[in-house]
Amino acid sequence: RRSNGLADGGPEDGASEEAKEPAPEPVRFGWVKGVMIRCMLNIWGVILYLRLPWITAQAGIALTWLIILMSVTVTTITGLSISAISTNGKVKSGGTYFLISRSLGPELGGSIGLIFAFANAVAVAMHTVGFAETVRDLLQEYNSLIVDPTNDIRIIGVITVTVLLGISLAGMEWEAKAQVLFFLVILVSFINYLVGTVIPATAEKQAKGFFSYRADIFAQNFVPNWRGPEGTFFGLFSIFFPSATGILAGANISGDLKDPAVAIPKGTLMAIFWTTMSYLVISATIGACVVRDASGSLNDTVGSGALGCEGPACAYGWNFTECAQKQSCRYGLSNYYQSMSMVSGFGPLITAGIFGATLSSALACLVSAPKVFQCLCKDQLYPLIGFFGKGYGKNSEPIRGYILTYAIALGFILIAELNSIAPIISNFFLCSYALINFSCFHASITNSPGWRPSFRYYSKWAALFGATVSVVIMFLLTWWAALIAFGIVIFLLGYVLYKKPDVNWGSSVQASSYNLALSYSVGLSEVDEHVKNYRQVLLPPQCLVLTGPPNFRPALVDFVGTFTKNLSLMICGNVVIGSRKQKMPESRLTSEGHTKWLIKRKIKAFYTDVVAEDLRSGVQILIQASGLGKMRPNILALGYKRNWQTAHPQSMEDYVGILHDAFDFKYGVCLMRMKEGLDISRMMQAHMDPDALVAGQQASTVFQTGQGKKTIDIYWLFDDGGLTLLIPYLLGRKKRWGKCKIRVFVGGQINRMDEERKAPSHHPRVWPRVPRTAGAARAPLGDAACFFCSIKRFDDLIAPFRLNDGFKDEAVVNEMRHDCPWKISDEDVHKNRAKSLRQVRLNEILLDYSRDAALIAITLPIGRKGRCPSSLYMAWLETLSQDLRPPVILTRGNQENVLTFYCQ
């Protein structure tokens, strides 16, 4: 606020007023000054004045129009795509890169932005060389060359681009004023040219091939006349195309526009229309006025009807036959690049137009490239470029980017040959346009979440057509350059996909992955189930793993992740026990952290949790609800309950009940026990902090190290469909377990060993699935060795859970059984005595044969539901797996055969 006008304000008041003055607003442009004029100036470049007449002479008016319309088709479709992108959301600085990366994701935006910035830097050199070439011609005309024709272009080019750099560094406001001045000069030069075409030609101009509008000259120039190494249709196309590539000049300063969503579509399309009309008019008019070859000598006049005179100039009293046949003519459309200046009413105005077009285009490219590159550097998608992202001043000018663009331009200016630089730019611009159009098409067909353009004239099929045409033209121009360009794009795209930068802009690549996954998942519903497709042979077991928080049981996560990685489904399930109102916020808070923990550990698994009143009901929810369509778990993996003897009996009852529930739902079961236990939650600090889950040190487990030449011992006690064999076999296929030998132990009798040794040949559907088995070691389970100490240990184990009902009334016993279903009656002990002794004997065999194994896999014993108390069943599992150093997995299939003779 200013003072009230009284003169009694002291110094402190003045300081206060200065502090309250608002910061200066950055310069903002509308659609005419900011986009249309800028694009037109960038399109009206060096090619218009210095190469369009020459292209018309080579290709003829008809094919020149075709070249123009082909170029405009590509640029118009790209303009429609850019317009759609610019109306897709809020637009900030960063130009084309920002528009594409924020709409379609960093993968496509990064590669397009880098290539486009480089193409603009090279375009600075092209336009500067065009300017230098014109100045050189003027010096040559007055015999005032500095050194020689080629080095003069280099010297003038370096000086010019240095001056343009100074204008750019002065800020956008000065640059915009310079652009308006250049625009007015070009318009005046166009008017001057058109006026010159209707002014009767002087003898001097006629000697140079200009005869005003003539039908026979138009007819001769309508058809092509190819000359020189560039004299092919696509050779000329590659030279002309850069003159149509300035369409993104307005979009590249998106941060300096008042309303980019309105200015970019309107200004870009209007610029394309008016510049296209100017190209078509100039090509037709100059082709109707100037012959292809002229000597420039006033002595080459001839009478009408003279013999030996060839060409339309003969009808107007000029004979250019000799120089045309020797290809030594200095003038005419095919030989004189300054034909427009010669035709015009006042030549210096055309020269001024050339200066305006070349300098304005060079200046626009010099501004565009750093703006795009600055935004790319700030996002740090690629290494070693962050230095160039710093901005200076109220408009955050990319001064470091200007210097880099200046250096690149200097390198290409030293080539000093316009016809060599133009094809390089054509390839990179065509590559950029192909990527822009394909990106828009890709976002449309994948229904990318960030793709909601409001531009009504956008069509995904037009975008696809534009991308296809651009690619085809690239290969028709220079196939090896096209391969190099696409190689660079693939490298840049692959780098971003591999590094996965920490940005969240929404990506069409991610949307495409989602749509493909959804499509294939739905398609699986049409596939009939077969043993080969059981998700176990061609795809290993699909596992629902009861990990709780995954970082609490890393060994269980690593074990299942080892044989499911890149092959099948793995879901880490967590049951959050408590009321939904209290626990749901906690669940949402930690869910993302658990997923990040799995990603950091390189475990390819999903994480899901449910809130339930107790563990068993939560697991029932997980079993029924996990998965999608036929991508559903069929194996329940969980850890062994070590504290079953000291925990509340109901938790033990729930644990055994979970195993029964799994079988009821047609799941197989894989139960894992390790000597040191699985749960490391007591060692975890701040485990409820999602950031700590990722930042904390990852616990190492035995499944992350190589196992060497140990053994994987399988104790296949029952034919449960083969799951007990399959999981160790899949584990053995992994690199860390590849050197382990698989041994299969099958229960039997000594006197039948020879017969059973031949058994595999009678059951081909099973044994070919264990290719590493060299034979089956038979453990004589009927041995009468003394193991009374082990039996006593088992009896002591179940003693705290005995009912001792032999000394109690029957009614009391029934009431105790009802209240405490986990209690073991004398009848239960007697009926299950054989099974109990079997577990004792099996443990002795495991200790004898598998003490040094890398892994022990055993068929999980099953207690009949309602007939075997949970405490007795847990005593079996405890006895069977106790005192074993290697990890033990107890597996039981759901009786569905998972093995097949045909899958070798």
Side-chain angles (χ1 to χ4, degrees), residues 195-466:
V195 169
T197 60
V198 297
I199 295 176
T202 63
E204 184 178 322
K205 287 189 176 182
Q206 287 184 353
K208 294 181 180 180
F210 172 60
F211 297 96
S212 195
Y213 291 104
R214 305 290 181 179
D216 54 345
I217 295 177
F218 180 85
Q220 187 197 41
N221 289 336
F222 190 79
V223 294
N225 188 322
W226 311 111
R227 300 182 186 182
E230 295 97 357
T232 63
F233 179 84
F234 285 105
L236 295 176
F237 181 92
S238 67
I239 294 173
F240 174 80
F241 187 76
S243 67
T245 57
I247 62 169
L248 301 181
N252 286 337
I253 61 161
S254 56
D256 300 307
L257 301 176
K258 292 178 182 177
D259 188 356
V262 174
I264 292 174
K266 195 173 181 180
T268 301
L269 296 176
M270 288 297 291
I272 292 173
F273 173 77
W274 289 117
T275 53
T276 302
M277 296 303 298
S278 66
Y279 283 138
L280 295 175
V281 168
I282 291 173
S283 174
T285 54
I286 203 162
C289 296
V290 185
V291 296
R292 285 191 170 102
D293 295 295
S295 64
S297 174
L298 295 174
N299 297 323
D300 286 341
T301 56
V302 66
S304 60
L307 297 176
C309 185
E310 298 177 1
C314 297
Y316 309 111
W318 294 87
N319 185 3
F320 304 131
T321 306
E322 183 180 355
C323 75
Q325 290 177 346
K326 294 180 180 180
Q327 294 188 355
S328 60
C329 296
R330 292 182 55 195
Y331 295 94
L333 291 180
S334 296
N335 311 290
Y336 189 48
Y337 289 150
Q338 303 285 348
S339 294
M340 282 185 66
S341 178
M342 182 263 295
V343 170
S344 67
F346 183 60
L349 281 179
I350 296 296
T351 303
I354 295 173
F355 289 174
T358 53
L359 294 178
S360 64
S361 296
L363 190 58
C365 293
L366 187 57
V367 170
S368 297
K371 291 278 186 181
V372 173
F373 193 59
Q374 180 188 36
C375 188
L376 181 64
C377 295
K378 286 182 177 179
D379 290 334
Q380 297 183 342
L381 298 183
Y382 302 105
L384 307 177
I385 62 173
F387 171 80
F388 298 99
K390 183 176 176 58
Y392 297 86
K394 62 183 180 181
N395 274 35
S396 187
E397 295 293 340
I399 293 178
R400 296 175 180 178
Y402 285 134
I403 302 300
L404 178 63
T405 304
Y406 172 76
I408 295 172
L410 281 181
F412 282 90
I413 286 172
L414 296 179
I415 296 175
E417 179 54 53
L418 189 64
N419 290 359
S420 298
I421 300 173
I424 298 173
I425 298 174
S426 294
N427 231 295
F428 280 102
F429 273 116
L430 281 168
C431 184
S432 299
Y433 293 167
L435 286 172
I436 290 171
N437 287 309
F438 178 77
S439 300
C440 293
F441 171 75
H442 188 264
S444 299
I445 63 171
T446 58
N447 295 318
S448 176
W451 183 246
R452 297 292 184 272
S454 60
F455 185 66
R456 68 173 71 180
Y457 300 110
Y458 165 74
S459 168
K460 61 183 177 183
W461 302 115
L464 177 62
F465 176 75

Side-chain angles (χ1 to χ4, degrees), residues 866-877:
R867 301 287 183 90
C868 178
S870 57
S871 57
L872 178 60
Y873 181 69
M874 292 302 298
W876 290 352
L877 300 185

Side-chain angles (χ1 to χ4, degrees), residues 33-197:
K33 189 176 179 181
V35 180
M36 190 185 77
I37 291 179
R38 186 175 296 275
C39 287
M40 292 177 71
L41 286 172
N42 213 8
I43 294 171
W44 284 334
V46 60
I47 303 299
L48 169 66
Y49 288 99
L50 299 183
R51 291 298 182 271
L52 185 58
W54 174 75
I55 292 172
T56 303
Q58 291 263 10
I61 297 171
L63 292 184
T64 300
W65 275 37
L66 181 60
I67 289 172
I68 294 170
L69 293 176
M70 282 177 59
S71 303
V72 170
T73 299
V74 174
T75 56
T76 302
I77 293 173
T78 307
L80 294 174
S81 297
I82 284 294
S83 299
I85 295 173
S86 66
T87 60
N88 189 55
K90 186 177 181 180
V91 179
K92 298 181 181 179
S93 62
T96 310
Y97 164 71
F98 180 88
L99 294 173
I100 295 173
S101 62
R102 268 47 173 191
S103 296
L104 308 176
E107 302 91 351
L108 296 168
S111 55
I112 293 173
L114 205 56
I115 288 178
F116 193 75
F118 178 76
N120 272 280
V122 179
V124 174
M126 183 189 75
H127 295 296
T128 305
V129 167
F131 170 80
E133 189 177 287
T134 303
V135 176
R136 187 274 317 268
D137 290 343
L138 290 174
L139 293 175
Q140 199 168 17
E141 189 173 336
Y142 293 100
N143 296 319
S144 302
L145 289 177
I146 303 171
V147 182
D148 57 64
T150 301
N151 283 315
D152 279 11
I153 291 177
R154 293 178 178 137
I155 294 170
I156 298 166
V158 170
I159 295 172
T160 303
V161 78
T162 304
V163 173
L164 293 177
L165 176 65
I167 296 174
S168 300
L169 293 176
M172 287 297 297
E173 193 169 0
W174 280 96
E175 188 266 349
K177 291 177 180 178
Q179 295 285 26
V180 172
L181 176 63
F182 289 144
F183 183 73
L184 294 175
V185 170
I186 292 173
L187 287 182
V188 171
S189 72
F190 280 169
I191 296 171
N192 175 50
Y193 161 76
L194 293 174
V195 169
T197 60

Side-chain angles (χ1 to χ4, degrees), residues 3-9:
S3 66
N4 57 8
L6 299 177
D8 57 355

